[in-house]
Amino acid sequence: MNGAESLVHTLLNGDVNVCFANPGTSEMHFVSALDRVEGVRCILGLFEGVVTGAADGYYRMAGKPAATLLHLGPGLGNGLANLHNAKKARSGIVNIVGEHASYHIQHDAPLTADIEGVARPMSDWVKTSHSSTAVAADGALAVEAARKAPGQIATLILPADTAWGEAEGPANVNAAAPRERVPDAAIADGVRALTSGQPAAILLGGAALRGNALDHAARIAAKTGCTLISEYNNARMERGAGRAVVKQLPFVVDNALAMMKDFRQLVLVGAKSPVSFFAYPGKPSVLVPDGCQVIKVAGVEADLEGALEAMADALGARNTQPRVNAPTYDTALPTGKVTLDGLGALFNALIPEHAVIIDEAVTSGRLFTGATLGARPHDWLNIMGGSIGWGLAAAVGAAIAAPDRKVIAFEGDGSAMYTQQALWTMARENLDVTVVIFANRAYKILLGELTNVGAAAAGHNATAMLTLDNPALDWVSLAKGFGVAAGRATTLDELAVQFKRGLATPGPYLVELVM
């Protein structure tokens, strides 16, 4: 058994059985080991940003890490933007990064790089294996680091000679430690805030936005009259009819301040104290109003379900009827010209039960997501780090993790161009993904941000940098070139036809909505 084979066996011991890959020469012994050791599903991405984004989407739906296989420092560098998003989402990923043979590094070959230096900003754990006999133990540590709640980025660097050298065998992987219990004093602080008689809200994040944790929160809201709010971006949130009424904190600073202005008690459960996405002249960075007390009950890494259950028990809310969204999806479909209100109503009616929504619609999406709270129950995944080019890649990973669920990717045209290669992987793996491209043919959000930050109106250079209409992107042709069936819509009527066609297609389908 060589080092690479010992690593594959160790990954399997840690229940890491999916590998998103874009390998090169230095990784060939690991590639060969994946042939000889059965049990790992290997999925090729044609760009490393697809690989790392897919691993993020996979973790969010599977709840366990996948591996990535990346080629040296430049390959890792190509994947960093979506590792940034994954780190912000607290997703667990095991990066396997090839390195030159240890004796070759001194010669400064063209691809020689400081791989640890490249890895550290977007990793929680970094290690280089220094011998073939150490690879298995290092791999076990990487898996354990990736599984540390709520999830971490672990990067293991594998010099080629440690992959081909003799190894003693695989290593065992220790079971993941349970999430830390929230202290009674913190629970009591949260309960005291919610029973103070002052207007109160609970800001939820992480695992508090799904499962039993969210159900406890809905009962607490019904019992105390507090408002439930989610952060603007969320790794995974259960939404729709029959699920907790949760307001999403707006992106726009003025709107967020308006939502928060009356609260005097803000309880944090799995969320950070809210701040604006960017700084704007004359506007605050912190979105907590003056006179509002912030009470941190639990960080995102803690046992959030246990914390909310303890709060519900202390409040006598365990048997309270939860405050949930009423169904609003059984309505006639809107017709005519495309409007944001019309989009919200259309998707509210057509989102299928148990769908997984990947949201990188940016300008369009943030204005119609609130309209889908009464849709059939679904999961909603946001881009967490703000580095665009995440959505199509994350849809690949989510579809691999949840093959029995329809994945819908709401995607801006500018963002989609960063990782359009993900369409090829969708076609190759026949993934059940319906992509809707909101083709406003501009970096529309940035045209608005010119005004928001107090810059001058767009002139010739600014317009050239922020528009995508010369030439216009043809997403139907692009999709078909990657092997994905596609259609175009210019009205709500046409969108309904195309979206239904995508939902009925068992493999990938792309809808270009020209706005």
Side-chain angles (χ1 to χ4, degrees), residues 332-349:
L333 294 179
T335 60
K337 182 181 178 180
V338 174
T339 64
L340 295 177
D341 287 341
L343 289 174
L346 185 145
F347 292 128
N348 186 70

Side-chain angles (χ1 to χ4, degrees), residues 135-214:
V135 167
D138 291 344
L141 292 174
V143 176
E144 291 165 9
R147 295 196 311 197
K148 184 177 179 181
Q152 294 192 138
I153 310 297
T155 300
L156 178 63
I157 300 162
L158 193 65
D161 51 337
T162 71
W164 70 55
E166 288 296 314
E168 296 175 356
N172 293 321
V173 179
N174 293 322
R179 288 174 177 250
E180 291 187 7
R181 181 179 177 275
V182 177
D184 292 341
I187 300 296
D189 288 343
V191 169
R192 192 159 39 248
L194 297 177
T195 56
S196 67
Q198 296 179 306
I202 304 177
L203 185 61
L204 301 168
L209 288 167
R210 55 185 187 269
N212 291 332
L214 187 59

